[in-house]
Amino acid sequence: MRMTAFYSCCMWFCCLVLSMDARSQHTEPALLKLIYSFSHRYDKSPGVVPVEAEMSLRVGSTNARYGCAAYEMPVHKPFGSGADGPPPEVVAAAETGRAFVGMPGTLVTSKKVSFEVLYLVPDKKQLVSFRLLGFQNFKTELPYPEIDWTIEQETKQIDRFVCQKATGAFGGRVYTAWFAPDLPFAYGPWKLCGLPGLILEAEDADREVVFKFKSLEMPTEEYVMVEVNRVAAVSEKEFDRAKLRHDKDPIAYSAAYSIAQFGTEPAMILFLDVSGSMVSDEAAKQAIKKEIELKITNPMELK
C-alpha cells in the first residue's frame, strides 16, 4: 500500500472511530450545518497562545450534533444504504476496534481541543456525550444545560441574519450570545442552547472562550446521528477515572486495553492534533510525550 493510501485509510478509520459508529440506522436529515471558528485560552500563563479550531453543529428537526469539524466524517447517507463511505476493510476494522489490516492500534488526540461529540435532544432534555480514549468509545448521559438567558434589545448583523443579544451564565462563566430569531432552533455551539433562535456567535466575559460564525449551509444529503453502537456506557465519574489513567500514559493505557481485548499490544500508534493532522509511530510517540506534559489550567467549564 502506498504511503498516501496508508494515511488516507488511517484517516478514514480515525474518522469512523471518532464519529462513534456513523453506520447507525437511527438518523434524520440535517436541516442546517453551521461552522464556528473556536478559540480557547486553555492556559493563562504569559506567552501561551489560545488554541483555535473549527467546530461543527448539525441541526435536525428533533436533535443536534456538535463536534470538532476537523474530525467529522461527512455523512451523505446512512452507511449500509448503498451510499458513499470508507473502504470496506476500514469499515470492518472499525467494527472490530482494530486498525486496518487487522492490527490493534493506539489513537491519541490533543487535549487542547475536545474531540467530544455532543448530541442534544431538547424535547427529552437529553444531552449525550461520546468521548474517545485510545480506541474505546465512552457514552455518558450529562445534565441538560438549563441556562437562564436574559434577552436584550440590542441587535447586530451576522452574515445575512439580524441577531439579537442575550447573556447567561454556564459552567462558571458569563456568556454573551447572538442568536438569529429567523432560524427557530434552540441550539448553539457546545452546550450553549435554549434561546428562541440558533446561536451564531458567543463568547464569555473574559474572551477566553469564543465562538465566531464562519459559515452556514443547508445540506441536501447530510444526516444527524441520534444513536450509536458499540460504546461503553459509563457515568461521568467513571469516565473521569478512566481519563486520568489514560492521560497519565496514553500508550500504556491503550496497550493494557489491547492486550485485554485482543491478546496483543498495539501495532500502530497515531496522534491527531487540533488541525486534524496525523503522525504515526516514532513521531506520534514524541507528540504524545509532549501531550502528557500539557496542562489545561483554564478549562471551558470552571466548576
Side-chain angles (χ1 to χ4, degrees):
M1 182 181 294
R2 291 179 302 176
M3 189 60 66
T4 55
F6 171 84
Y7 281 108
S8 177
C9 208
C10 279
M11 186 53 72
W12 264 116
F13 174 66
C14 294
C15 287
L16 270 177
V17 173
L18 288 162
S19 65
M20 275 42 93
D21 187 12
R23 299 182 308 114
S24 169
Q25 297 303 305
H26 299 272
T27 64
E28 70 177 31
L31 305 176
L32 299 172
K33 183 177 180 180
L34 179 61
I35 300 295
Y36 299 95
S37 295
F38 166 69
S39 173
H40 176 210
R41 190 179 180 190
Y42 65 91
D43 187 329
K44 294 184 180 183
S45 301
V48 176
V49 178
V51 65
E52 296 182 349
E54 290 186 0
M55 309 303 287
S56 167
L57 176 68
R58 289 186 197 159
V59 176
S61 59
T62 66
N63 68 99
R65 176 195 190 277
Y66 175 82
C68 184
Y71 288 79
E72 183 180 65
M73 181 172 57
V75 180
H76 302 293
K77 293 179 183 178
F79 292 157
S81 62
D84 296 336
E89 66 270 20
V90 182
V91 174
E95 289 177 343
T96 60
R98 293 169 178 256
F100 67 92
V101 302
M103 298 183 298
T106 296
L107 174 64
V108 179
T109 58
S110 174
K111 291 184 287 188
K112 291 182 180 179
V113 170
S114 172
F115 298 107
E116 176 181 35
V117 174
L118 293 172
Y119 288 95
L120 293 91
V121 188
D123 289 348
K124 297 180 180 180
K125 295 298 181 184
Q126 188 176 33
L127 174 62
V128 183
S129 165
F130 291 91
R131 286 166 286 187
L132 183 69
L133 297 178
F135 276 129
Q136 174 62 54
N137 292 315
F138 292 87
K139 173 184 177 181
T140 309
E141 295 272 354
L142 302 176
Y144 194 83
E146 299 288 353
I147 303 174
D148 186 15
W149 293 105
T150 299
I151 299 176
E152 303 181 16
Q153 294 302 311
E154 185 178 351
T155 62
K156 76 172 182 176
Q157 188 86 15
I158 299 177
D159 195 52
R160 60 189 183 276
F161 302 100
V162 176
C163 295
Q164 195 164 351
K165 183 179 180 181
T167 56
F170 179 76
R173 300 180 186 271
V174 177
Y175 286 90
T176 296
W178 296 92
F179 68 96
D182 289 340
L183 298 173
F185 302 99
Y187 304 114
W190 185 47
K191 300 176 184 179
L192 304 179
C193 60
L195 283 165
L198 191 63
I199 298 174
L200 300 190
E201 291 189 352
E203 63 181 39
D204 77 319
D206 297 321
R207 291 187 56 81
E208 294 174 352
V209 178
V210 179
F211 300 93
K212 287 290 186 182
F213 174 91
K214 182 171 184 181
S215 66
L216 177 66
E217 64 180 73
M218 299 180 182
T220 56
E221 287 188 306
E222 189 104 23
Y223 282 76
V224 179
M225 271 61 66
V226 297
E227 185 175 320
V228 294
N229 303 309
R230 289 187 289 277
V231 296
V234 298
S235 68
E236 185 72 356
K237 288 184 178 180
E238 289 171 326
F239 176 82
D240 288 344
R241 287 196 292 268
K243 190 174 187 307
L244 282 173
R245 295 194 300 272
H246 172 272
D247 290 351
K248 185 176 181 180
D249 191 337
I251 295 177
Y253 176 93
S254 294
Y257 176 83
S258 180
I259 291 171
Q261 294 292 317
F262 310 119
T264 182
E265 292 190 1
M268 181 188 303
I269 299 172
L270 302 171
F271 177 79
L272 295 168
D273 67 17
V274 296
S275 69
S277 298
M278 179 179 62
V279 293
S280 62
D281 299 328
E282 191 57 40
K285 291 180 181 178
Q286 295 302 315
I288 292 169
K289 183 178 180 180
K290 293 181 180 179
E291 195 68 17
I292 292 173
E293 298 170 353
L294 177 68
K295 304 299 180 183
I296 305 298
T297 58
N298 185 35
M300 292 178 65
E301 292 190 65
L302 298 175
K303 61 183 179 180

